[in-house]
Amino acid sequence: MEFNPFQKRFRKGKRRVALVYPNRYVGGIANIGLQLLYAKINEFAHCERFYSDVFDGLRSLESGSRLNEFEIAMFSLHYEKDYFKALEIIKRSGFRGIKIAGGPCVMENPRPLMPFFDAFFIGEAEDRVEEIIEARSVEELSDIDGIFTGKEEKVKRVFCRIEKHIEDEIIGEGAYGKCFLIEIGRGCVRRCSFCLVRQIYFPPRWRNLEDFPEIRGVNKVALIAPSPTDHPQFKDILQKFVERGFEISPSSLRADAVDEELVEILKAGKVKTLTLAPETSSPKLSEFLKKEISFEDLRNAVEISAKAFEKLKLYYLIGIPGELEEDVKKIVEDVVFLKKFIQRVEISVNPLVPKPHTPLQWIPFAKIPELKRKISLLFEECKKHGIEVSLPNLREFVIQSILARGDESLSEMVAGNRNYREYLHFLKGYRLEEALPWDFIDHGYKKSKLLSEFLELVEILDKSYKSMGDKIFRGR
Ligand code: SF4
């Protein structure tokens, strides 16, 4: 059961808008972007939600209405693999209204989805929702900032000022449990080379203590931001909620921000798991990723936290350019050391996806046989030392990378007419001078600057790797 303060009966004259999240409810309800959009749309129209695991995405959660009874369907795409479900929902529902897609995948590269939607929204939609809903045709839509219908040569991403936080939210059983989501900031002050978030939510913006609402009806808050520990008032915000008796759940922590005071607050806020993302155990690769977290930072964070948490969860990447098998073994070596402080450790390892709009957009996805070798090496080493490990489904990552890095030709794959193996060429690198499928999106960075950043990163790698890498970085 959920508590939905926005639910009301449909009144004649109001447009019916379907907000479709083609993935599971548990993720959708824990997404602050969807919560904001739903609240905003209900100010002007009648909005109902669709999730892939509620009536298979074909009927709304609120009233069980069929998708084809709505005039506008807004699809929010957070993972490339959701494209398949989105298309299935469109086809099976027989929806004939206006179809708009938005969300991080669309801000990244909507090319593979071109034939399936009337328009794409590139950016943060809160301030544009009213205009979008009032548009009666694709032509009218195309006049709105941030809209891409396929005819425009360039689209500038739209972003909002973030001010007072919304007062009401739907409370459901989501990824953080039953809680109120508090967005403390948007965008990130860091420049990690692999990270799409730093680009598509630029510039970094924070909310202050006084911007947060009074919360009633739940005893837990999830504090959301790409890198919440960078918030200048992070500890004060946590402290404020803890003093009012709330359990807290921060979205992630940086190891170099963990100190005794923070650990005490988290403990008082009933946080049970310390979650950190060192990404790699190799200092050289860490420099390449620009994550700026050293093993000392990690060890300090875990040592300080030893008595406060039941579990340590660590996120790593593999398939980083220049990575050797010994770098992979070093992950397990580090984790074995950290287990001395917190007995229960789980690691999650995923392949690096060179994302559009990041300085790594030109590099190829790692070679599949090499990734397979590294994954089985990790599995064996973790088993030997009794470490819980969550390993990637490589096929899913290959498909994700193809969809993130490809062009319109991929619509045949999304439609199920062609196999992903026919598109493996999108895993290869791009030539530096080549036009990229996503170049039409203006995220506010200069491509020449991104290229300089990339060339600086290449300098970090070993000479031997770079000569081998001429092959790698030359592209297709
Ligand atoms: S990985 Fe995290 S810290 Fe780094 S830029 Fe992205 S959001 Fe910021």
Side-chain angles (χ1 to χ4, degrees):
M1 271 297 279
E2 68 172 19
F3 166 69
N4 182 353
F6 304 98
Q7 195 168 356
K8 48 190 178 291
R9 276 170 177 266
F10 170 63
R11 280 213 325 270
K12 250 191 159 172
K14 284 206 165 189
R15 296 205 93 187
R16 296 186 88 178
V17 181
L19 185 58
V20 187
Y21 180 69
N23 204 318
R24 292 169 59 218
Y25 174 87
V26 69
I29 204 66
N31 185 284
I32 186 68
L34 284 167
Q35 290 269 7
L36 292 172
L37 214 50
Y38 184 73
K40 202 79 195 174
I41 299 171
N42 272 307
E43 286 177 22
F44 318 106
H46 178 87
C47 182
E48 297 190 18
R49 291 162 294 145
F50 293 73
Y51 300 98
S52 65
D53 56 350
V54 178
F55 303 121
D56 214 11
L58 301 172
R59 287 171 177 267
S60 73
L61 181 138
E62 285 83 350
S63 65
S65 302
R66 292 174 198 277
L67 185 63
N68 61 8
E69 292 168 29
F70 289 74
E71 291 154 276
I72 304 172
M74 296 172 92
F75 284 74
S76 187
L77 300 170
H78 291 250
Y79 307 99
E80 289 83 357
K81 66 175 182 341
D82 295 351
Y83 298 177
F84 302 99
K85 188 67 192 175
L87 190 58
E88 186 199 312
I89 293 172
I90 293 171
K91 279 188 182 161
R92 286 182 58 202
S93 65
F95 182 74
R96 293 274 171 269
I98 296 180
K99 302 180 289 291
I100 307 170
C105 289
V106 169
M107 289 194 249
E108 171 190 62
N109 175 22
R111 292 281 189 205
L113 297 165
M114 294 289 289
F116 312 121
F117 290 93
D118 300 302
F120 299 91
F121 186 79
I122 313 278
E124 298 164 15
E126 295 111 280
D127 291 350
R128 300 296 194 290
V129 147
E130 192 175 359
E131 283 176 87
I132 293 173
I133 289 167
E134 278 172 6
R136 302 280 153 165
S137 65
V138 178
E139 286 65 39
E140 276 183 43
L141 271 175
S142 65
D143 289 336
I144 301 169
D145 292 344
I147 285 283
F148 175 62
T149 62
K151 292 194 191 98
E152 302 78 3
E153 263 176 42
K154 281 241 164 218
V155 186
K156 197 170 168 51
R157 173 176 52 94
V158 170
F159 62 89
C160 313
R161 282 176 61 149
I162 64 165
E163 293 164 338
K164 278 254 174 269
H165 202 281
I166 48 170
E167 300 271 330
D168 292 311
E169 278 180 15
I170 314 161
I171 306 293
E173 193 68 51
Y176 304 101
K178 246 188 168 111
C179 66
F180 196 96
L181 307 173
I182 296 274
E183 187 192 34
I184 64 168
R186 210 177 284 181
C188 187
V189 293
R190 309 266 167 188
R191 309 291 295 155
C192 303
S193 60
F194 59 93
C195 180
L196 181 65
V197 167
R198 68 167 236 200
Q199 302 292 79
I200 64 172
Y201 293 107
F202 186 83
R205 290 149 283 167
W206 299 122
R207 279 201 176 90
N208 300 318
L209 269 167
E210 57 275 15
D211 296 328
F212 303 132
E214 284 299 322
I215 298 162
R216 291 177 203 93
V218 270
N219 63 357
K220 187 174 180 184
V221 289
L223 300 152
I224 313 289
S227 181
T229 41
D230 285 320
H231 192 300
Q233 296 175 308
F234 184 58
K235 284 186 203 162
D236 297 339
I237 294 170
L238 291 179
Q239 187 68 45
K240 181 182 147 181
F241 284 112
V242 169
E243 277 167 9
R244 290 182 185 174
F246 286 99
E247 283 182 35
I248 48 175
S249 176
S251 52
S252 64
L253 301 172
R254 273 183 69 86
D256 57 358
V258 177
D259 59 17
E260 281 89 354
E261 192 189 359
L262 179 61
V263 170
E264 278 311 308
I265 302 171
L266 294 171
K267 199 174 151 193
K270 299 205 171 69
V271 177
K272 300 276 185 297
T273 301
L274 176 66
T275 305
L276 303 167
E279 316 292 1
T280 174
S281 280
S282 148
K284 187 178 290 296
L285 299 182
S286 183
E287 206 186 332
F288 180 79
L289 296 176
K290 286 170 93 181
K291 181 84 188 203
E292 293 166 349
I293 296 287
S294 66
F295 181 67
E296 282 63 46
D297 296 327
L298 190 61
R299 195 197 56 213
N300 283 341
V302 176
E303 207 173 334
I304 293 169
S305 314
K307 293 201 174 69
F309 302 107
E310 291 168 7
K311 184 177 170 184
L312 172 65
K313 179 143 194 197
L314 299 168
Y315 284 90
Y316 288 96
L317 291 170
I318 52 166
I320 306 163
E323 177 188 79
L324 304 170
E325 288 201 354
E326 57 216 56
D327 297 323
V328 176
K329 280 192 190 155
K330 179 80 173 23
I331 294 177
V332 182
E333 224 174 87
D334 286 358
V335 175
V336 169
F337 180 84
L338 298 171
K339 255 171 93 71
K340 286 190 217 153
F341 304 102
I342 301 178
Q343 287 271 302
R344 197 165 157 222
V345 186
E346 184 191 335
I347 62 169
S348 172
V349 186
N350 288 317
L352 171 77
V353 176
K355 289 277 189 175
H357 309 291
T358 71
L360 304 187
Q361 64 180 357
W362 290 281
I363 69 166
F365 184 74
K367 296 266 175 289
I368 295 167
E370 185 190 315
L371 280 176
K372 280 187 178 160
R373 262 201 320 278
K374 287 176 177 169
I375 289 170
S376 55
L377 177 68
L378 266 169
F379 178 75
E380 289 306 325
E381 290 292 306
C382 286
K383 204 163 110 187
K384 231 191 274 173
H385 297 283
I387 298 163
E388 273 178 69
V389 60
S390 151
L391 291 167
N393 176 331
L394 203 47
R395 183 176 167 274
E396 274 183 15
F397 272 88
V398 165
I399 293 172
Q400 179 194 332
S401 303
I402 289 172
L403 289 170
R405 298 167 57 82
D407 59 21
E408 284 94 323
S409 63
L410 288 167
S411 57
E412 287 292 312
M413 171 179 146
V414 179
N417 300 334
R418 288 184 182 275
N419 189 281
Y420 76 95
R421 290 176 196 283
E422 295 178 55
Y423 298 94
L424 292 176
H425 51 279
F426 286 122
L427 298 182
K428 294 182 181 168
Y430 279 101
R431 287 192 308 278
L432 300 184
E433 66 284 3
E434 202 170 348
L436 304 173
W438 50 88
D439 277 348
F440 75 96
I441 304 175
D442 177 0
H443 277 293
Y445 64 80
K446 281 207 172 86
K447 199 174 172 187
S448 57
K449 223 165 151 224
L450 208 61
L451 181 59
S452 315
E453 199 181 328
F454 170 61
L455 296 174
E456 276 168 31
L457 293 171
V458 173
E459 285 305 309
I460 294 166
L461 302 175
D462 286 327
K463 282 204 175 61
S464 58
Y465 181 74
K466 272 198 288 166
S467 59
M468 175 174 89
D470 278 343
K471 220 175 22 190
I472 289 165
F473 292 124
R474 208 172 41 232
R476 295 177 294 159

